[in-house]
Amino acid sequence: MERTNVWKGYTKKQLKELEELNLGYRKFLDAGKTERECVKESIRLAEEAGYKSLHKVIAKGKKLKEGDKVYAVCMKKTLVLFQIGKKPLEEGMAILGAHIDSPRLDIKQNPLYEDTELAYLDTHYYGGIKKYQWVTIPLAVHGVVVKKDGKTVEVNIGEDKHDPVFCITDLLVHLSGEKMEKKAAKVIEGEELDLLVGSIPLKEEEKEGVKKNILRLLKEKYEMEEEDFISAELEVVPAGQARESGLDASMILAYGQDDRVCAYTSLMAMLEVNDTQRTTCCLLVDKEEVGSVGATGMKSLFFENMVAELLEACGQYSDIALRRCLAASRMLSSDVSAAYDPTFAASYEKKNAAYFGRGMVFNKFTGSRGKSGSNDANAEYMAAIRQMLDKHKVAYQTAELGKVDVGGGGTIAYIMALYGMEVIDSGVAVLNMHAPWELTSKADVYETKKGYVAFLLEA
Ligand code: MN
Ligand code: MN
């Protein structure tokens, strides 16, 4: 059983649609390099498509009816959208859920120091990274500084072509004899990931003049004192735009495609569909890369609370209606999968790997060491999904995350499955996953969006 390469079968019209979608995708990636930026950009796109704030609807005492489109936000980092369907909510929703946090380096709360007339910001990495990949590349700083009076200053340095960028240094190869003998996990250690931010000392200062000069610049540009780092969320990410990749420009090379590729395709599918049987829902959540913890992670009650609010606004709320709605829902946990890499063939099992250009990927289960920690989707559910995909001519493939016992991973699927709903992992195959620059196939982005549309219409 082998899947064919979808590129061969595309018509001119399909290729045009594919390019348009991928152009929009690249713009989305550039506009959203942090979870906060992603929420902002997603709300902008949703409002353009007629979505309104659920909380505003509630505050005005309005009732929701079939066809109404609403969204709700949790702490500016997690977003949920709903479009009311024809069936009562008790009969369940069709849910697409992706995450919008990506591996990165966070700036510590007391980060600034000077050593040998060089100023640094100390970082603590977020999510699973190969630390050695983050040295010597151009880096940008995105985030917010919240002042004591509650005023928020937005920071974005290193993306405009006139902006300076930042760098984490590495030892020159000439002096690395001993270092090169170390394990890859140890060759660059967490505390060595310090961002070099300056080298000019203030003229009149004898001690720590470089640090003082950086503080002067922070004050000038962001009205920021050193203490304001305490209430800042500053994320160090690769600098630069999402690019087309390959001589045939068939791929996208960009930061943060895990999982913004599924976030974007889910959101686009959500904004495209109308007149659905079930109420549709698109969830874009934070904190997946660190275990879905915290108020903005999938394990929080935010989603459940918003479904309760939705039921109430539809005049359908009761505790049993809420439970029935969640249990009867169907979900695609939209997350990326590892693409087969011929250079590292030994880590994959070829029959059950995801390939570039073969469409949307389904992972019946994830986990590690004998599927531990995974959500295992039901055969009946997978069968229903096959039916939907074939009806809408979506190219898809099934895969596991690498060879048995080579490693593993998880998504938000198992958390949603706790409600008793049907959930399966599905999304786009990625090369270099979790690296500063990740690769996807434009064809897979296109097929995955089509797949999400099919699901919202047919689920
Ligand atoms: Mn992911
Ligand atoms: Mn990930």
Side-chain angles (χ1 to χ4, degrees):
M1 188 170 55
E2 201 165 296
R3 298 287 170 185
T4 50
N5 192 304
V6 289
W7 285 105
K8 292 182 186 173
Y10 284 146
T11 61
K12 266 198 178 140
K13 183 173 164 270
Q14 285 175 314
L15 285 171
K16 192 168 166 263
E17 284 173 8
L18 176 153
E19 292 297 348
E20 277 169 11
L21 179 74
N22 279 282
L23 178 63
Y25 172 44
R26 281 194 285 138
K27 286 183 183 162
F28 181 78
L29 287 170
D30 293 341
K33 282 193 164 183
T34 67
E35 51 286 355
R36 284 173 188 262
E37 290 174 356
C38 269
V39 163
K40 216 179 205 182
E41 179 64 6
S42 302
I43 291 176
R44 190 185 70 76
L45 293 165
E47 285 183 341
E48 263 179 27
Y51 280 78
K52 295 196 165 59
S53 159
L54 175 61
H55 287 100
K56 281 187 187 159
V57 169
I58 294 167
K60 286 180 186 160
K62 283 190 184 164
K63 286 287 167 210
L64 292 173
K65 56 178 191 319
E66 185 192 322
D68 281 349
K69 302 171 180 183
V70 290
Y71 69 84
V73 182
C74 181
M75 297 173 186
K76 302 175 183 171
K77 296 176 190 174
T78 281
L79 174 67
V80 62
L81 301 99
F82 299 102
Q83 184 179 167
I84 312 298
K86 295 183 171 69
K87 290 183 178 174
L89 272 159
E90 257 191 42
E91 291 181 35
M93 301 179 287
I95 306 169
L96 298 173
H99 68 91
I100 48 175
D101 60 318
S102 293
R104 59 178 189 253
L105 312 176
D106 287 336
I107 288 174
K108 289 186 184 180
Q109 262 45 68
N110 183 16
L112 184 61
Y113 71 93
E114 174 172 342
D115 192 342
T116 329
E117 294 178 319
L118 296 172
Y120 294 89
L121 289 173
D122 206 338
T123 72
H124 192 148
Y125 68 99
Y126 172 97
I129 61 166
K130 289 179 168 179
K131 295 174 195 110
Y132 64 79
Q133 292 177 332
W134 290 74
V135 295
T136 76
I137 59 171
L139 296 166
V141 176
H142 290 234
V144 293
V145 180
V146 186
K147 318 266 290 178
K148 266 197 292 189
D149 63 4
K151 196 180 149 216
T152 302
V153 184
E154 293 201 20
V155 175
N156 182 331
I157 317 164
E159 301 296 352
D160 188 275
K161 68 174 191 282
H162 303 294
D163 276 2
V165 292
F166 305 95
C167 188
I168 293 165
T169 59
D170 193 6
L171 187 65
L172 63 166
V173 69
H174 314 68
L175 303 183
S176 292
E178 208 176 303
K179 217 173 179 34
M180 298 299 272
E181 300 303 319
K182 285 190 181 180
K183 280 187 180 170
K186 294 274 177 191
V187 71
I188 295 290
E189 304 222 43
E191 284 298 354
E192 291 169 342
L193 294 173
D194 291 358
L195 198 67
L196 182 57
V197 294
S199 62
I200 305 179
L202 272 184
K203 264 185 193 155
E204 58 276 18
E205 293 292 337
E206 287 200 1
K207 262 187 77 185
E208 299 205 313
V210 182
K211 176 180 167 179
K212 281 171 188 154
N213 194 35
I214 293 296
L215 285 170
R216 181 186 66 83
L217 288 166
L218 289 174
K219 175 98 185 161
E220 226 173 77
K221 292 187 175 160
Y222 302 103
E223 294 170 55
M224 184 180 170
E225 309 287 341
E226 188 173 7
E227 285 233 330
D228 291 330
F229 278 114
I230 292 174
S231 49
E233 281 175 9
L234 297 170
E235 304 181 8
V236 179
V237 297
Q241 295 185 324
R243 306 286 297 266
E244 291 178 305
S245 183
L247 205 55
D248 56 7
S250 61
M251 297 165 281
I252 303 282
L253 180 72
Y255 164 69
Q257 299 201 71
D258 173 8
D259 184 32
R260 291 172 192 137
V261 67
C262 296
Y264 182 71
T265 44
S266 294
L267 180 65
M268 286 302 104
M270 182 74 185
L271 301 186
E272 184 179 315
V273 300
N274 285 301
D275 304 321
T276 54
Q277 291 297 317
R278 285 178 189 249
T279 290
T280 55
C281 169
C282 175
L283 247 175
L284 304 179
V285 296
D286 181 28
K287 296 286 184 286
E288 191 274 344
E289 296 294 358
V290 292
S292 298
V293 292
T296 58
M298 195 63 247
K299 284 179 185 163
S300 100
L301 286 180
F302 168 71
F303 171 67
E304 190 180 316
N305 289 344
M306 290 311 107
V307 177
E309 294 283 6
L310 190 75
L311 279 157
E312 176 69 11
C314 290
Q316 298 173 26
Y317 180 78
S318 69
D319 183 57
I320 195 67
L322 173 63
R323 289 161 192 262
R324 283 176 183 158
C325 172
L326 291 166
S329 289
R330 285 177 155 187
M331 182 189 191
L332 294 185
S333 165
S334 318
D335 209 340
V336 295
S337 203
Y340 179 78
D341 189 335
T343 310
F344 304 104
S347 298
Y348 300 83
E349 189 267 286
K350 273 190 125 175
K351 299 188 305 308
N352 292 283
Y355 294 84
F356 263 25
R358 295 192 191 172
M360 186 177 190
V361 186
F362 284 82
N363 290 78
K364 187 174 183 295
F365 53 84
T366 56
S368 55
R369 299 175 310 282
K371 307 187 178 184
S372 181
S374 93
N375 164 63
D376 196 349
N378 289 311
E380 291 83 351
Y381 185 45
M382 188 65 234
I385 284 172
R386 285 172 60 202
Q387 182 76 19
M388 297 173 204
L389 297 170
D390 285 348
K391 183 176 169 191
H392 288 259
K393 298 191 169 62
V394 179
Y396 72 95
Q397 49 186 329
T398 57
E400 296 192 11
L401 189 65
K403 251 185 193 168
V404 174
D405 285 344
V406 163
T411 65
I412 61 170
Y414 76 99
I415 305 162
M416 298 295 272
L418 295 174
Y419 290 115
M421 70 174 74
E422 297 274 21
V423 191
I424 187 164
D425 282 299
S426 69
V428 178
V430 176
L431 281 171
N432 306 344
M433 195 196 292
H434 279 214
W437 296 92
E438 301 173 312
L439 273 168
T440 53
S441 156
K442 283 181 180 177
D444 298 335
V445 174
Y446 178 63
E447 293 299 327
T448 301
K449 198 274 281 177
K450 265 169 61 183
Y452 290 150
V453 168
F455 174 78
L456 292 179
L457 293 173
E458 307 289 338

